Structure formats: structure tokens, C-alpha cells
Amino acid sequence: MRLPARRIASTALCATLLAGITGPAAVAADSSRERTHAASRAPVPGADTVLAQTKSLANLGAVLTPATDLLNQALQNGQLTPDQAQKLVDAVKAAIAQVSAAAPAAPSLPVSPSLTKHGAAGEEGAAGEDGKAPKAKDLQGDALAALQKAVDALLAAVTSGDVSKVLPAAAAVVTGLVNFVAATVLGGGLPAPDLPGLPALPSLPVPAPSLPVPAPSLPVTTPALPTS
């Protein structure tokens, strides 16, 4: 059945008009979606502090996960083959190295001009012999170094053939992990916890700079007056 030419022309005209109406609207909708998508991917202004805190928390997981894997295998099996133990230990050491490399340098402590002038070298918070400000103590770095030593001791224990050595070595690793967590929480710039009923965490001790000791007064000798 053939459609009349007039109906075909009318249908084509309607399709053309519909395309002319919906075409720009569709393009505008696509452009709006693209702008919305681009805006949703823009960084949040002022988020640097929270991003740094998030990174500190991620570092905790990066070390805790392989370390707890090592502990689980050591405590559940007692002894491991050298290859098994080394693979687990290597994962912990790789995480420690990654976190250590990404850690910011310890900031310099302020130094009083009087301390720089009078010395008091070698004490934290006081000027060194070269007059430069000392570095703040790197608690997280110290904790990671101690943890690595504990992991090495556990490696020796799980491959020694003596199961009795495993438990104290594993306990030392757990202590090392707790020290790492505490150093990160207290010194990593994380916000203070606000859980109701939670005791306040202690703040890191800040050593007081030593004050210069005044030199003792020398005795003043009064010259004898001539006698007549």
C-alpha cells in the first residue's frame, strides 16, 4: 500500500521540525552533564589538611595489614619455611620503606637567641654547636625502625626450629605496631578524638629549653689605702 505523497511530505516535515526542536536541547543537556561531571571532579578547596590526615591513616593500614599477616602465620604455624617467612617479612619491610620515604622531614625547633649565644648544645630545643636549629624528634621514624628490628627477630624465630622463641618475638612485633600507631596518632597531625566517654589522649612532651646559667660573680678586691 502506497502512502500519498502529501502524507509522506507531512511526516518528513514533522520529523524535521522535531529534530530542530530536540536537537539543541539534547546538545545543551549533554553540555550540562559534561559541566556537572567536570565540576564534580574538581578538588575540594582547602582540603590539603584533611588529605594529609587521610594519608596518615592509609599509612597505618599499609603497615598493619602485612604485619598482622606475618603475625597470624607465625602464631598459627609456629615455624615457617625460609621462603614463606621471607615473603611475609619482605611485604612488611616494603610497607615500612614506602611509609618512611613518604614521611615529611621533621621540622626544626625554634631556638632562642640567648640559647644560640650561650650554647646549651646537644639538647632538644636548643641550638647545636653550629648554631643551627635542631630537628624535632621523628617519633614515627623511630617507631618504624624499631618495628623493622622486631620483624627481623620474628623472622629468625619462625625459622629457628624452636617454637618457644616465636611468642616473645611476636609480642615484640605487636608492641612495635602499637608504638607506630601511637606515634602516628599523636604526631601525625590527626584531629583529636571526640568520642563521648573516651579519655583524653596525652599530648607529646615538649622539652623545655635549658636556660643559660649565669657565670658566678667574681670577688671584688678593694685596694688597700695608703697609710700616712
Side-chain angles (χ1 to χ4, degrees):
M1 178 180 177
R2 292 184 178 181
L3 293 175
R6 181 176 297 177
R7 181 176 297 181
I8 294 174
S10 177
T11 303
L13 178 60
C14 290
T16 301
L17 291 175
L18 182 62
I21 295 172
T22 60
V27 171
D30 289 341
S31 300
S32 177
R33 282 194 296 268
E34 289 177 1
R35 287 195 299 271
T36 302
H37 182 66
S40 65
R41 294 177 60 87
V44 177
D48 293 343
T49 299
V50 179
L51 282 174
Q53 294 169 348
T54 303
K55 187 176 181 180
S56 295
L57 293 174
N59 288 340
L60 286 176
V63 175
L64 292 178
T65 298
T68 52
D69 287 344
L70 170 63
L71 288 168
N72 287 332
Q73 292 297 321
L75 294 172
Q76 291 175 5
N77 297 287
Q79 292 292 288
L80 301 172
T81 66
D83 289 343
Q84 290 174 328
Q86 192 64 57
K87 183 178 180 180
L88 292 167
V89 168
D90 286 345
V92 180
K93 288 187 175 182
I96 291 175
Q98 179 181 359
V99 173
S100 299
S108 297
L109 295 175
V111 178
S112 170
S114 60
L115 295 181
T116 305
K117 179 180 179 181
H118 293 282
E123 296 189 17
E124 194 173 17
E129 294 179 357
D130 56 358
K132 295 181 179 179
K135 296 294 185 181
K137 189 172 180 62
D138 183 7
L139 291 179
Q140 190 182 77
D142 292 346
L144 289 173
L147 176 60
Q148 183 157 319
K149 290 181 180 178
V151 167
D152 288 335
L154 182 56
L155 171 62
V158 296
T159 56
S160 65
D162 187 354
V163 179
S164 65
K165 295 181 178 180
V166 174
L167 186 58
V173 172
V174 172
T175 301
L177 289 174
V178 172
N179 288 336
F180 168 58
V181 172
T184 302
V185 171
L186 295 178
L190 293 173
D194 60 357
L195 181 66
L198 185 69
L201 293 178
S203 58
L204 292 177
V206 179
S210 300
L211 296 177
V213 178
S217 301
L218 297 176
V220 179
T221 303
T222 303
L225 296 175
T227 58
S228 57

